[in-house]
Amino acid sequence: MRIGYTCMSEQSDPRALVRDAAAAEEAGFDLVVFSDHYSPWLTSQGHAPYVWTVLGAATQVTSRVELMTYVTCPTMRYHPAVVAQKAATTAILSEGRFSLGLGSGENLNEHTVGLGWPGVDERQDMLEEALEIISALFDGDLVTYAGEHFRVDSSRLWDLPSRRVPIGIAVSGEQSAPRFAPYGDFMVAVEPDPSLGRMWDEARGMGPSRKVGQLPVCWDADRDAAVQRAHEQFRWFAGGWKVNADLPTTAGFSGASQFVRPEDVAEQIPCGDDVDAVVEAARAFFDAGFTDLALVQIGGEHQEPFLRAAQERLLPALREAAESSDPSPS
C-alpha cells in the first residue's frame, strides 16, 4: 500500500500547492495527486489555478514522489492530443515520475468552453476516443484520427519520456469499469467498492492491477472546528458521483447541499485528530484491494499541521494497518 497526498487545487493558490507538494515529499508520502479543475465546488473553497503549470513547478521541487493528475478530463476543455503533449512533457520534467489520471469529467469544469454537457453515454464515447488518441501518441506514432467526436491531423509527440506515461482511468460502476480497463494501466476510484476492482481486473485479463483511491479528512486538534470546516468546504461530497458530475456551478452545489448538516458530513469524513478514525476509514480501501490511497486534508491553510501529524503519526499507522489488512480478492 502506497499512501498519497492530494494537492487540491480548489482550496489553495498555486504557490501554496507547490510548497505543499514539496512538504508532502518531505513528510514521507509516496505520491502526490493533483485535481484538475476550472472551478471550486463551493465558493468557500475559493481557488482553481491551472494545474498543469503547478505540476511543472512541482516537478522541480520534488525528487522522489510520484506525481499524478486526479483526474484530467481529456474531452472538452482540453483536446486529447494536447493532453498527451502535456503529460509527456510533465513526465520528462519529473524524470519519469508522472502518471496521467483521466476521467469523463464534471459539468462544473467542462461547461466553461460553451459546448454544453453531454449525457453520460456520449461522455464515455468521447473518453474512449480520447484514450485511443492519447495511447497512439504515447506510442510515438504519426497519428491521423477521424472519430465521431475528435480529429487529429498528422501529429506526433516530438518529446517523449524514456518510460511510457502510465494511464489511470476513473471508473464508478459496471458501465465504466469493464469498458475502460483495457485502455488503462491502473484504476482510479473514490468509492472503496471491491466489485470495481474485480470488474477492472477481469476486463484487463492480466491479473491484479494497481488501484488508486482517495480519502478526505479534516485534521484539527479542535474536532468541532474540523467538523465546521468540513461542512463549509466539503459538504458537496455528500451528493454522490451522479449529482457531482452534472451540476454546473458553485451556486448549484450550494443549493444541492443546503440541507446537509455538519453531523452528516462528520459521518462520512474523519474529523479531528483521532488517528484510529482515519485508519478505520482507510481500511475500507485496503480491504477492497486498493494499492494506493491519497488523503485530502480539507482547508487550504491547514496543511502544515496535517503534514506534521502525517509524518509523525498517520503514515506509520496507515502503513501498519494496510500490512495487516486482508484484501478481498480482486
Side-chain angles (χ1 to χ4, degrees):
M1 170 61 67
R2 287 151 43 89
I3 307 298
Y5 169 82
T6 301
C7 279
M8 190 173 183
S9 61
E10 303 94 295
Q11 64 178 14
S12 296
D13 73 42
R15 293 171 298 176
L17 291 168
V18 174
R19 291 194 300 268
D20 291 341
E25 179 176 80
E26 180 68 23
F29 283 94
D30 301 304
L31 68 153
V32 179
V33 307
F34 295 76
S35 56
D36 187 348
H37 270 238
Y38 199 88
S39 171
W41 300 96
L42 294 168
T43 302
S44 55
Q45 292 176 314
H47 295 280
Y50 183 58
V51 74
W52 290 90
T53 304
V54 175
L55 274 165
T59 67
Q60 303 304 293
V61 299
T62 59
S63 61
R64 176 187 57 80
V65 291
E66 178 184 4
L67 306 174
M68 181 189 303
T69 50
Y70 200 104
V71 291
T72 289
C73 177
T75 61
M76 298 187 72
R77 274 186 300 149
Y78 310 135
H79 190 283
V82 176
V83 172
Q85 184 188 38
K86 294 191 288 193
T89 300
T90 305
I92 293 171
L93 287 170
S94 64
E95 299 182 316
R97 292 182 290 116
F98 177 71
S99 295
L100 177 63
L102 299 174
S104 57
E106 301 102 7
N107 194 5
L108 177 69
N109 303 298
E110 307 310 316
H111 82 275
T112 294
V113 295
L115 298 177
W117 184 237
V120 64
D121 290 340
E122 185 175 354
R123 298 200 303 269
Q124 293 193 350
D125 290 343
M126 295 171 73
L127 179 58
E128 187 167 7
E129 286 192 15
L131 288 163
E132 291 172 351
I133 292 167
I134 292 168
S135 181
L137 288 166
F138 282 175
D139 286 340
D141 297 339
L142 181 67
V143 176
T144 295
Y145 185 96
E148 182 179 350
H149 301 284
F150 299 107
R151 298 182 66 88
V152 179
D153 182 18
S154 301
S155 299
R156 68 158 41 100
L157 297 180
W158 293 93
D159 289 278
L160 281 167
S162 57
R163 169 180 174 262
R164 181 186 174 94
V165 180
I167 296 175
I169 305 173
V171 298
S172 58
E174 60 184 12
Q175 185 175 359
S176 55
R179 178 175 187 176
F180 295 117
Y183 293 96
D185 299 295
F186 61 93
M187 184 186 88
V188 174
V190 295
E191 296 288 340
D193 181 352
S195 69
L196 289 177
R198 287 194 292 268
M199 289 186 288
W200 177 274
D201 287 339
E202 288 170 4
R204 291 185 83 241
M206 300 172 63
S209 62
R210 185 181 188 194
K211 301 168 183 71
V212 184
Q214 191 176 54
L215 175 67
V217 304
C218 197
W219 187 267
D220 198 300
D222 184 338
R223 186 177 186 278
D224 290 340
V227 171
Q228 184 63 31
R229 186 166 74 248
H231 180 257
E232 289 175 352
Q233 298 196 22
F234 238 77
R235 64 184 182 274
W236 59 270
F237 189 72
W241 179 248
K242 290 183 179 180
V243 172
N244 293 345
D246 285 333
L247 292 175
T249 64
T250 55
F253 277 95
S254 179
S257 61
Q258 63 181 311
F259 298 115
V260 177
R261 302 168 302 171
E263 55 265 37
D264 299 327
V265 175
E267 287 180 3
Q268 295 191 55
I269 297 172
C271 295
D273 61 354
D274 184 351
V275 172
D276 290 340
V278 177
V279 169
E280 185 61 28
R283 196 180 299 279
F285 287 92
F286 304 158
D287 291 343
F290 280 73
T291 60
D292 303 65
L293 183 63
L295 304 181
V296 185
Q297 162 67 343
I298 298 172
E301 70 279 17
H302 294 272
Q303 301 306 300
E304 184 177 348
F306 168 75
L307 288 166
R308 185 167 58 249
Q311 183 174 21
E312 297 172 356
R313 302 169 60 194
L314 277 171
L315 288 174
L318 287 167
R319 289 179 175 132
E320 181 179 356
E323 289 175 4
S324 64
S325 179
D326 182 16
S328 303
S330 59

